[in-house]
Amino acid sequence: MGKKFPEAHKQLGETMVDALDAFDYDCEGYAVKTPSPKEVTAKEFSACVAIVKTGDAVDWESARNELPRASALAIVWKDKTIVGVGAIKRERLQYAADIAIKSGVEFPPETPELGYVAVSPDHRGHHLSHCIVKALLKKHRGRIFATTYDAYMKNTLTNAGFENKGKEWPGRKHMLSFWNKE
């Protein structure tokens, strides 16, 4: 017999959001895929880690260990070459609790983190970080956080609906800031 109004309204809203998303950032010429980490080969993970390493924003060894354990991945392809990556990291309760203390922002330690967003230097300037974040957020519902020092990533997060909260704290090389999306 048809759907109840709230269910139909929700589905219509999601369809409209998906249609409007096409106008946000044009990733033309690039394929943004969201495979399960189990579907990604060792060679593909190595390519992703190499891109994270070029960005020098995070510990690439952490990316090497954590990308295969991510709850969601977004990988950008140009033809047959991986040129960008991002992840929603697995739940890390103690890490999240430490970030809450450093940032001065209280949030549930079960909150997942968006991270490892990186684009190959030869492909920067095409809004691919926006495409990566958008693809990851489509795979996730609920609260999520990110940390960054990078001005371009702060812009990407702002455009994706994240809000900067709390105070900055010293990271490995730069002062980090906390970003939250409810």
Side-chain angles (χ1 to χ4, degrees):
M1 283 213 57
K3 294 185 178 188
K4 294 180 181 176
F5 180 75
E7 291 171 19
H9 185 262
K10 180 180 178 198
Q11 183 179 7
L12 176 61
E14 289 171 356
T15 301
M16 290 172 57
V17 166
D18 288 343
L20 291 173
D21 277 348
F23 297 102
D24 285 349
Y25 290 97
D26 184 8
C27 300
E28 189 175 324
Y30 294 90
V32 182
K33 299 179 182 179
T34 54
S36 162
K38 293 177 183 174
E39 301 169 336
V40 179
T41 68
K43 184 178 178 182
E44 291 167 337
F45 274 125
S46 291
C48 292
V49 171
I51 292 168
V52 170
K53 194 174 183 179
T54 65
D56 198 36
V58 297
D59 176 9
W60 66 269
E61 290 174 339
S62 170
R64 182 186 64 209
N65 295 331
E66 292 295 332
L67 281 174
R69 301 165 78 184
S71 62
L73 286 174
I75 300 176
V76 182
W77 293 80
K78 177 70 171 172
D79 302 320
K80 295 181 180 182
T81 304
I82 294 175
V83 299
V85 64
I88 297 177
K89 300 176 185 181
R90 69 181 172 92
E91 184 178 277
R92 299 181 300 169
L93 300 175
Q94 188 57 55
Y95 173 80
D98 290 345
I99 295 297
I101 291 167
K102 291 174 184 177
S103 67
V105 177
E106 288 186 36
F107 64 96
E110 308 80 35
T111 306
E113 180 186 16
L114 182 142
Y116 303 127
V117 177
V119 175
S120 176
D122 294 345
H123 296 273
R124 293 181 185 154
H126 297 280
H127 301 291
L128 296 178
S129 65
H130 295 271
C131 299
I132 292 166
V133 170
K134 182 171 68 172
L136 288 169
L137 292 177
K138 282 185 175 186
K139 303 289 277 182
H140 177 77
R141 296 287 181 250
R143 187 175 192 164
I144 190 166
F145 78 94
T147 64
T148 190
Y149 71 88
D150 184 76
Y152 189 81
M153 191 62 198
K154 290 176 183 180
N155 179 56
T156 298
L157 293 170
T158 299
N159 287 336
F162 283 76
E163 293 181 47
N164 180 218
K165 296 191 172 195
K167 63 183 181 201
E168 290 190 336
W169 69 95
R172 283 185 327 119
K173 295 182 177 183
H174 305 279
M175 295 297 286
L176 296 174
S177 58
F178 178 88
W179 294 77
N180 184 67
K181 181 174 173 65
E182 302 269 345

